Amino acid sequence: MSQQPEPASEVKVPQSPVPAKPKPPTLEQQVSLMLRQAERAMYGDRLMFPEDDNAYDRYQAVLKLQPGNAQAISGLQQILVRYVQMGREALRHSRLGNAKAYARRAGLIDADNPLLREFEQQLSEAERLNPVAPAKVSSGRPVSSKLGTPESGPESQYELNLSDLNLRGDAIRAVLKEIAERVKSSDEVLLIVARNDAEGRWLYKEMKKAAEGYRIRGDIKVGSPPRIIVYPPI
């Protein structure tokens, strides 16, 4: 009689362990991360720009999660002080338009700050003593023929600080945003005077970004010193 084969023993396949779901960061971890990001932005002078990486927004986000956070409140005050410092520097070099732009930025943080109030008084005195006189734009071949150029007329000028322009950081973006908001509401025309074509295109691009939904009209030309001239509407 033939012997029946024994049934094969069942082979057990080891199961892979199910990976544990990562725990969401705690409130303290979120706050700590945003404060570190804000400090890095402050160190890079990214105060309120660019929109996706600046100290002001980080500190505000911390205060939404943790109202009364002392480090965030102190950080916002540091931003205000930095804007006043830049405004005073601009005023010393007779760049009144730049100084006013910095003052408005500081006012977004604390319009009643005594340091800002003092600086605003200096601005008012400077405007009283040095009213902006109309000027004629210097001649030059337009770099871009796509944008119209006014021939002449009353104007105001924003001189661009070379150090700020080279860094392309928060300081110069604050001025460009100020100009963009102005022409968006007034329909004025710009002449961008830049040291080269690439710099002129960058200036125009930043103002166009700041005036979202509005087509800024103007022209670009190569010249020195870098500045933006604002003309009345055509």
Side-chain angles (χ1 to χ4, degrees):
M1 184 175 178
S2 63
Q3 189 175 9
Q4 295 293 328
E6 296 182 2
S9 60
E10 184 179 354
V11 178
K12 294 184 178 180
V13 179
Q15 295 182 349
S16 302
V18 178
K21 291 183 179 180
K23 294 181 180 179
T26 64
L27 176 63
E28 288 73 18
Q29 289 172 330
Q30 294 180 59
V31 167
S32 178
L33 174 61
M34 285 188 287
L35 287 174
R36 290 197 302 271
Q37 292 171 337
E39 288 174 359
R40 284 197 295 267
M42 283 285 291
Y43 183 77
D45 224 16
R46 300 190 303 277
L47 307 181
M48 289 187 178
F49 297 94
E51 294 183 359
D52 59 344
D53 183 17
N54 65 78
Y56 176 81
D57 286 345
R58 303 292 189 193
Y59 286 133
Q60 290 286 17
V62 168
L63 291 175
K64 287 181 180 178
L65 290 176
Q66 201 173 71
N69 182 282
Q71 190 173 341
I73 293 172
S74 174
L76 290 174
Q77 290 302 308
Q78 290 178 45
I79 294 174
L80 183 149
V81 170
R82 176 66 180 133
Y83 272 130
V84 171
Q85 289 173 342
M86 292 191 295
R88 286 176 172 164
E89 179 69 18
L91 200 56
R92 280 195 293 269
H93 291 83
S94 302
R95 299 194 304 271
L96 188 58
N98 300 48
K100 290 168 69 175
Y102 297 139
R104 289 190 181 94
R105 291 289 157 199
L108 294 175
I109 299 172
D110 183 4
D112 295 323
N113 182 277
L115 186 67
L116 175 59
R117 286 289 182 88
E118 179 185 349
F119 177 56
E120 288 173 334
Q121 290 177 358
Q122 294 175 330
L123 279 176
S124 298
E125 184 67 11
E127 285 185 295
R128 186 182 68 82
L129 296 175
N130 301 288
V132 178
K136 299 292 183 179
V137 66
S138 58
S139 60
R141 181 179 63 83
V143 174
S144 170
S145 60
K146 296 180 181 179
L147 304 172
T149 308
E151 293 297 330
S152 62
E155 67 198 42
S156 58
Q157 298 192 35
Y158 292 79
E159 292 186 20
L160 304 179
N161 180 272
L162 292 180
S163 297
D164 294 342
L165 184 55
N166 290 337
L167 287 173
R168 297 191 178 184
D170 183 82
I172 190 66
R173 284 189 169 95
V175 175
L176 298 178
K177 185 174 179 64
E178 180 75 18
I179 299 171
E181 290 173 348
R182 168 179 169 172
V183 299
K184 185 176 181 179
S185 61
S186 66
D187 206 31
E188 292 170 303
V189 182
L190 300 179
L191 175 62
I192 300 170
V193 182
R195 292 169 293 182
N196 53 63
D197 186 30
E199 183 176 84
R201 289 197 305 269
W202 182 83
L203 290 167
Y204 178 78
K205 179 182 176 182
E206 288 299 315
M207 287 187 287
K208 182 180 178 182
K209 187 192 304 180
E212 185 178 359
Y214 176 79
R215 182 178 178 273
I216 293 178
R217 296 178 301 152
D219 197 7
I220 304 171
K221 81 166 191 176
V222 172
S224 186
R227 61 197 183 278
I228 296 175
I229 305 169
V230 183
Y231 287 93
I234 296 177

